[in-house]
């Protein structure tokens, strides 16, 4: 099993991951927030069986009843970007189909009946889309989707109707931030209908200089066009970020190295460290690795650390509930352990 | 040759060094600021010959004509506390007799004709005084001091007249600072006539949590009493500092370790670092070593670093003049080198 965050993908010096998700609903059921418990159970059952009893996927899936796992386990999955925060809410019958490599997660009874998500390391929306598409085809052989000839796939929120696709890339943009040029990127994105969000989606800040670019419109364009358009924009942003990194380094190499190594020094020596400070320092260290300044740490190691030091995953590693104060101590300990293994 | 800063003395967990200096003037010459060049040269010659041609000292001395060495070399000696800042001023003929272990320095034509200084690592005023006293006796066999039955040894500044002794100890008091109790120490010292200064004497701030305690009065008390009184006060301050360190550690060990290791992390990883920040971080690291939290760095190593990263000594190590910006880069490089050798 090799989860997305243990692998290095294309353009990994700037791109953390690529994600494609499709929103789908079953024709014969009301949207999730209007379903009865009985209907919820039926939808979960239908989707689960369509995948679990389907050898054509070529992948191994596990079914998880979201109500049967602890809030901590749910939160840990959010932190790994395997499910959306909505999936952690109790009250409804929600299910998850997760592939063994954690690249495919099919959320059942999220905002829509189905959210098919594929997550790849680096810039790889094309492959993520291809896999999403084949999972979608597989499901469509077993279930009937709510589909309208004029509007396309129908979704709970009209902004998702049409193709039902959201293609997003997570970018690490420290040089754009340092130089202030991120403002221009944000302006351009706003003009051409690209949403920019932080590390943890819709309402999150750009923690650790991480930015998620995704399409806002899902109608009037083919999935292929949307994927290509986001890839195109991302490629331009990547080039700008790379150019600025080179320029910053050319102007004052020691200054950049100083910033990077000071952060590494604090990160690898602190005994108490918050999640927020960790992500800030990780950004500097990642920049150092991405620029080839730090040579004995890999991007994969940084991804592993980034995920494992999040509150829920940290508690899972420690195998017990931790107060926020305890977390800050355990986080520092885990960082030192992970950096030396 | 083992200079004071490469050795560990008594109470080295709190005390950096102990210094005794005697102010003396020759009977037949006016005070230095009123001497002619001819008289300056005569005084230097008399004192130099009294020591260099004297086998009784049992020590090896080098004579240095202060005008013949570079301003950088002079400044480097100030940073090592071997001479006073006054000795670096050009214009007069000043000489220095320095013992090979750098424990004794006899400044000629500073504010007074003679300043006999003995510097020891740790709390060791008694030995410093003993050595000073024997050097004084040695000189008195060869020269006639300006001495008054009523006022004692006559000095340029009346505050030094009498015994002409100044006994001082350099203390590292981070816990007293952290807890704010340093205020009480300063108040008590002021009341009982103890002067408190920073790392570099009269007009310096308490950089790096270093405090120098010394007697203000030199008249009406014997040298022995003054040495014992300063030793006594220092011993009390040492006990307070130790108690507060223990208490701080008892209250929140991780917090202290966090502070110490973060400072070590920055200190050992920075690529640009000022003298001021270095001393601040060194104080935390020193506390870590003194408390036994950091085990693989010695106090001697920290003393060596503390001296070598000062502006003039740094330039001597690098063997060339450096701009302040270059110094900050070279300092960071030297720190990393010294920490790993």
């Amino acid at each position: 099993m090799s989860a997305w965050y243990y692998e290095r993908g294309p353009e990994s010096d700037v791109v953390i991951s690529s994600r494609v998700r499709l929103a789908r609903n079953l024709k014969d059921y009301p949207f999730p927030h209007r379903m009865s418990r009985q209907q919820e159970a039926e939808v979960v059952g239908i989707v689960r069986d369509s995948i679990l009893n389907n050898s054509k996927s070529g992948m191994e899936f596990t079914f998880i009843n979201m109500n049967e796992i602890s809030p901590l386990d749910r939160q840990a999955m959010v932190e790994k970007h395997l499910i959306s925060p909505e999936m952690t809410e109790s009250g409804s019958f929600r299910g998850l189909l997760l592939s063994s490599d954690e690249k495919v997660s099919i959320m059942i009874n999220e905002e829509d009946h189905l959210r098919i998500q594929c997550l790849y390391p680096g810039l790889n929306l094309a492959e993520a889309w291809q896999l999403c598409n084949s999972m979608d085809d597989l499901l469509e052989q077993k279930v009937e989707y709510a589909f309208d000839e004029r509007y396309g796939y129908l979704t709970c929120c009209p902004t998702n109707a049409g193709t039902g696709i959201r293609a997003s890339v997570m970018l690490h943009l420290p040089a754009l931030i340092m130089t202030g040029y991120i403002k221009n990127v944000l302006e351009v994105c706003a003009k051409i209908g690209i949403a920019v969000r932080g590390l943890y989606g819709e309402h999150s800040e750009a923690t650790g200089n991480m930015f998620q670019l995704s399409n806002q419109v899902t109608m009037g364009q083919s999935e292929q066009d949307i994927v290509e358009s986001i890839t195109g924009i991302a490629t331009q942003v990547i080039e700008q970020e790379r150019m600025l990194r080179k320029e910053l380094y050319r102007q004052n190499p020691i200054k950049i190295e100083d910033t990077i190594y000071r952060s590494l020094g604090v990160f690898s020596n602190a005994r108490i460290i918050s999640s927020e400070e960790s992500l800030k320092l990780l950004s500097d260290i990642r920049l150092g690795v991405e620029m080839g300044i730090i040579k004995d740490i890999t991007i994969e190691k940084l991804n592993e650390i980034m995920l494992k030091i999040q509150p829920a995953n940290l508690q899972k590693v420690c195998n017990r509930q931790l107060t926020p104060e305890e977390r800050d101590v355990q986080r520092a300990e885990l960082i030192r352990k992970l950096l030396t293994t």
Side-chain angles (χ1 to χ4, degrees), chain A residues 3-10 12 15-18 103 119-124 303:
Chain A
W4 69 267
Y5 41 88
Y6 287 137
E7 263 178 49
R8 177 187 294 240
S12 67
V15 191
I16 313 297
S17 60
S18 299
K103 277 186 181 125
L119 195 54
Y120 272 76
L123 183 65
N124 209 343
N303 284 345

Side-chain angles (χ1 to χ4, degrees), chain A residues 112-244:
Chain A
D112 296 297
H113 293 148
L114 278 166
R115 289 281 173 104
I116 308 165
Q117 170 187 289
C118 294
L119 195 54
Y120 272 76
L123 183 65
N124 209 343
L125 283 176
E127 236 177 288
W129 156 240
Q130 213 167 26
L131 183 55
C132 243
N133 195 26
S134 72
M135 295 307 304
D136 187 41
D137 289 348
L138 217 67
L139 276 157
E140 213 161 6
Q141 287 165 16
K142 306 272 180 175
V143 304
E144 199 171 348
Y145 283 151
F147 185 81
D148 179 275
E149 280 302 330
R150 192 163 162 210
Y151 296 116
Y153 292 102
L154 301 178
T155 53
C156 180
C157 177
T159 59
N160 290 317
T163 56
I165 196 175
R166 173 145 294 145
S168 62
V169 285
M170 186 73 76
L171 306 173
H172 182 227
L173 306 176
L176 276 159
I177 294 270
M178 282 184 210
T179 56
Y181 284 117
I182 191 73
K183 205 169 147 272
N184 305 19
V185 172
L186 298 179
E187 276 171 18
V188 170
C189 285
K191 270 186 203 155
I192 60 175
I194 303 284
V196 183
R197 301 188 176 103
L199 183 57
Y200 283 106
E202 211 131 356
H203 305 291
S204 71
E205 300 263 309
T207 331
N209 299 325
M210 297 285 188
F211 292 85
Q212 191 196 80
L213 306 190
S214 65
N215 61 305
Q216 268 172 330
V217 178
T218 65
M219 217 180 265
Q221 273 190 297
S222 75
E223 292 89 341
Q224 196 66 42
D225 287 347
I226 289 169
V227 162
E228 279 170 15
S229 139
I230 297 293
T231 304
I233 303 292
T235 305
Q236 284 180 45
V237 176
I238 293 165
E239 282 312 317
Q240 277 189 50
E241 170 67 21
R242 281 183 186 148
M243 198 192 65
L244 289 172

Side-chain angles (χ1 to χ4, degrees), chain A residues 32 35-45 91-93 109:
Chain A
M35 288 197 289
S36 67
R37 292 293 273 174
Q38 172 62 26
Q39 289 172 315
E40 286 174 0
E42 282 173 29
V43 168
V44 167
S92 306
F93 186 6
N109 293 340

